[in-house]
Amino acid sequence: MTNDSSRQTLTPTADAAALRELAGQLRADSIRCSTSAGSGHPSSSMSAADLLAVLVTRHLRYDWDDPHSAANDHLIFSKGHASPLLYSVYKAVGVVEDEELMTTYRRHGHRLQGHPTPILPWVDVATGSLGQGLPYGVGVAWAASRLDHSDAHVWVLCGDSELAEGSIWEAFDRASSAGIADITAIVDVNRLGQRGATAHGWDLEGYRRKAEAFGWEAVVIDGHDVEQVDKALARARESDRPFAILAKTVKGKGFSEIEDSPSWHGKPLPAEMAERALAELGASGDIRVRGPLPEPSEVRQVAAGGAVVQLPRWDQGEKVATRRAYGDALAALGADPRVVALDAEVSNSTYAELFAKQYPDRFFEAFIAEQQLVAAAVGVAVRGYAPFASTFAAFFARASDFIRMTGISGTSIRLVGSHAGVEIGPDGPSQMALEDIASLRAIHGSTVLYPADATSTAALAAVMVELAGVSYLRITRGAYPVLYPHGESFEVGGSKTLISSGQDQVTLIGAGVTVYEALAAAQVLADEEGIAARVIDLYSVKPVDAATLVRAASETGRIVVAEDHYPEGGLASAVLESLAAHDAPAAVRSLAVRSLPGSGEPHETLDAAGISATHIVAAARALVHG
Amino acid sequence: MTNDSSRQTLTPTADAAALRELAGQLRADSIRCSTSAGSGHPSSSMSAADLLAVLVTRHLRYDWDDPHSAANDHLIFSKGHASPLLYSVYKAVGVVEDEELMTTYRRHGHRLQGHPTPILPWVDVATGSLGQGLPYGVGVAWAASRLDHSDAHVWVLCGDSELAEGSIWEAFDRASSAGIADITAIVDVNRLGQRGATAHGWDLEGYRRKAEAFGWEAVVIDGHDVEQVDKALARARESDRPFAILAKTVKGKGFSEIEDSPSWHGKPLPAEMAERALAELGASGDIRVRGPLPEPSEVRQVAAGGAVVQLPRWDQGEKVATRRAYGDALAALGADPRVVALDAEVSNSTYAELFAKQYPDRFFEAFIAEQQLVAAAVGVAVRGYAPFASTFAAFFARASDFIRMTGISGTSIRLVGSHAGVEIGPDGPSQMALEDIASLRAIHGSTVLYPADATSTAALAAVMVELAGVSYLRITRGAYPVLYPHGESFEVGGSKTLISSGQDQVTLIGAGVTVYEALAAAQVLADEEGIAARVIDLYSVKPVDAATLVRAASETGRIVVAEDHYPEGGLASAVLESLAAHDAPAAVRSLAVRSLPGSGEPHETLDAAGISATHIVAAARALVHG
């Protein structure tokens, strides 16, 4: 090895000295780019530089010219704040130029973001919220091995701090219990978090005991000894179990002034310190890496191609729960080989079991671990499938941060939340989703659908297969009459006007169960008050049907919105936001769940919440006579 | 022991036969109440009946006549669906009558809810979302031992299914690493979840390895052998480590027709089966329990009494980050002995470290485990303290389900989210909270505050000490000029009108960082367009200052709302909801973060998001001239 400036290319046969030199370059570049940006996490990058140098040169099978090849391994930085290291790797493999690294990192309008996102073609998932990369990796590995029968291996770089996140242990638990072997957690145990030592410091053996207790094979190594790293990575791919490399490392390794110091988390080195660091590292800065390519393999290419889906059919008036309709529709959609279902141990309530019985190979059981449920869906989507993940709507709150990050990733996943609202009755408030519309509407790029009947549920489930981003289908426990004929069309951003006339004095808007309450209210208003009420089924909550709302505002001037949700951020907010955006004034009354609900029969809980037909009638009457 | 119908009272000296008889009664009552209700989870109750019979008769030190005594042990049903068992215990100890159990369980308007909530004085926290009881218990145990120096022990009944939840492992991790000894997890390993076997079935030794790897003392027992149960419970209290009792049990134990059947989850027995079950159980139904009372102890009674809090003082115009102001205020509020601070390993960013340095005994470090962070805050509140839990605003999404359940519990906790919005700049979207206002507004009984400057931040933090329910303070990374003089008053539900005149043509509404953008915009509008703009600092987002909004609508007719948040469910929604509720029409423009943000300097990210002064000016101009 020489230290001159002529370009040097490392291949998988690189020796230890060359790997160490590459690690030095990764450290130097991590320092250089973060100093140039004036922010970033060089010290957290430096601790993992040896791990990455060996991985990308000798073990990561990746065609950098074809990042979307299904044969590629996956490299996920669960510790997303080590982006300087990741981007320095990208430079080393030749897909990012030094100039881009030095002039655009963390700058406005550029792709080398502070934490990695899939705006870069080599990034599968956005990270930066700790504890997420490993659960995503479990989903990717499950899809790669079980759906694609691929040899692709998933390598996840984790920090030690993030092992405090429960989501990491959901991933450990599920990877082993599902028999997923093609995943390796490389844990950079540098013992220091943001504000000081972690709870476990360098207790590498403690981490090993935990990983082993969770069914993983695990080794403890010196993360700066490239030969130990190499041996561990080789063993990781061979293992028939998920594999944890617990690497003892030093934060800031390579620059003595900051090594193992708790004071240098997330801080770029000032220019003069950076100079001293570069001198101490002595990196040539011009090493290129040509790591191994994936082995030629027959990776199944999933495609929509010609699947004939026959959606289930119901008679109008027949009483069907939308959750049951979802299950039937999902099973029908299974004819499309892209469709994958996931559930969190409630598939007999969400009726995802109907899919699981028909397509067991394309069903992922997350057990009661909603973060892993959503993360697995994301991983499945990364491999090109169309995942539907279901649980009780209330319990998606468990995975809010994963859903938020998925909005940032731009990954297309479908979430289906059953047992929404007070409508569930006797189980009480812990099982009642009453804030999910607010949460899901506020996800970047999301779609929120809330059908009332079986026909619309099935139709919208089918529409969701092609939807980009996070889409959410809110469904109901109880059985209600089918409103729409088979074949009726339902669009994202649409609505259905169920009752209208030229004389409407008020518009009643519902979605899901409150559509039935609105219909009943309109009947009472017509029969007993002589008030003509328009009724709109606003099944698309985001985007919302602005044209229909504006027309209703203009033609009736009065609107009552009833929703089985808390008053903030739900259906009424969607209506008000849309009317405001279109300068369509109307007198709007919002009926929503304002007091804490309790157990009871559905008709009692709906009425107690003030969202039953009785309350809609009263609100409409007051508006009209008002 | 006789089986006649005369009332029999068990005391801590009860023998095994008596304990078994009590367990039979608990099973019988679990069946009876759920059958009478027509819903509920008898089989999940029956598996744990022996565990509870021994616990309440011989180990739970609890004065049932004084449920709020600080000397009492705590009994938390993490498997909240076993409410029939809990309520049958309440009957056995004499605080619930058989009639209440049989005629009100799961009925509308009554307190014996489908899943337990603190509407009952013996319930500390609402459960029913699995995986939550143990993390709450860790908080209770920490507060009991560290703050109150009490001998109170925390007993948490867990299901085996819920061990799949990561939050359980956050609790295991933190209990041991924090040296909390006074907590016991009694795990009812009946091997069956809702839809079949759990991932680990009866692998009791596997659970033991996990618990031990996480630093707990653990024993495996036959959960139906009252002598083994007794021995384990005795050892649990003695242990100087957190203790896990891994009890092998049979779902539906005691009624042979449903024992170990996957088909009887969450189903009441039909009347004729219930009759057969009661015959097989042969319970007298009339056993009373007088368990041990807490030992007389000098539990510190925390009280507000006479704390003199001197809030920090800043000069107007001085540039101070609200997160820094929060830290200073929190340290000042520490003079009140009720105030406790918790943080998730970012206390040097949230400045909670200023409190931690001054009051280390009242500071809980959750490490990067936001579910445990919020759960510990709840536990601390259960013991009578006023917890402030802080982390990056974005990461409270990790704990959404805990926050949701806290809204149901009605427990008073204070959440402080720093680094809100695109204002943070270079770190990029993973660290930017842009959906937190929507989520937090939609929590039952919540308060949402978003101050712009240091003075208002400190004042509102002080107000939060006395607030009931979940309150949320959203704070900002960067430093901005102090707007308000020391001593200015800030109320929940208030706002500040910073600029106004009799000629205002438009109202500009901001909160947090956008207040400064609105002020700058007003200046431009006045100087360059001759447009008089009112500027409102809407620091109280929920509840919102309706009177001021209505006046602004009426007097200016035009409103521009700018918020560092996604467009759905945030500040603009709060304004629109309030205006609608008060029939106050206005032309409203909502400026919010509509495209996915990236890294950049704060002025760039604010401008790119369309929420900077430039965009406010343009929106106001268009409204006035449009």
Side-chain angles (χ1 to χ4, degrees), chain A residues 106 114-115 128 130 165-166 170 173 194-195 200 345 348-349 370 398 427 431 573 577 583 589 599, chain B residues 106 114-115 128 130 165-166 170 173 194-195 200 345 348-349 370 398 427 431 573 577 583 589 599:
Chain A
R106 286 178 165 253
H115 296 75
L130 291 170
E165 286 284 9
E170 293 183 12
D173 191 22
Q194 170 175 322
R195 43 128 291 289
H200 304 292
E345 227 277 269
N348 54 343
S349 288
E370 293 81 8
R398 210 53 164 269
D427 270 337
Q431 321 291 301
S573 300
E577 289 163 18
D583 281 324
R589 288 292 169 274
S599 295
Chain B
R106 286 178 164 251
H115 295 75
L130 290 170
E165 286 284 8
E170 294 183 13
D173 191 21
Q194 171 176 322
R195 43 127 293 288
H200 303 293
E345 226 278 89
N348 53 343
S349 288
E370 293 80 8
R398 210 55 162 269
D427 271 336
Q431 321 291 301
S573 300
E577 289 163 18
D583 281 324
R589 290 290 169 272
S599 294

Side-chain angles (χ1 to χ4, degrees), chain A residues 213-232:
Chain A
F214 274 76
W216 287 44
E217 185 173 344
V219 293
V220 170
I221 63 166
D222 174 347
H224 302 306
D225 179 330
V226 294
E227 282 154 340
Q228 287 190 38
V229 172
D230 186 58
K231 199 172 144 193

Side-chain angles (χ1 to χ4, degrees), chain A residues 107 229 291 302 489 590:
Chain A
R107 266 55 145 223
V229 172
V302 68
S489 162
S590 157

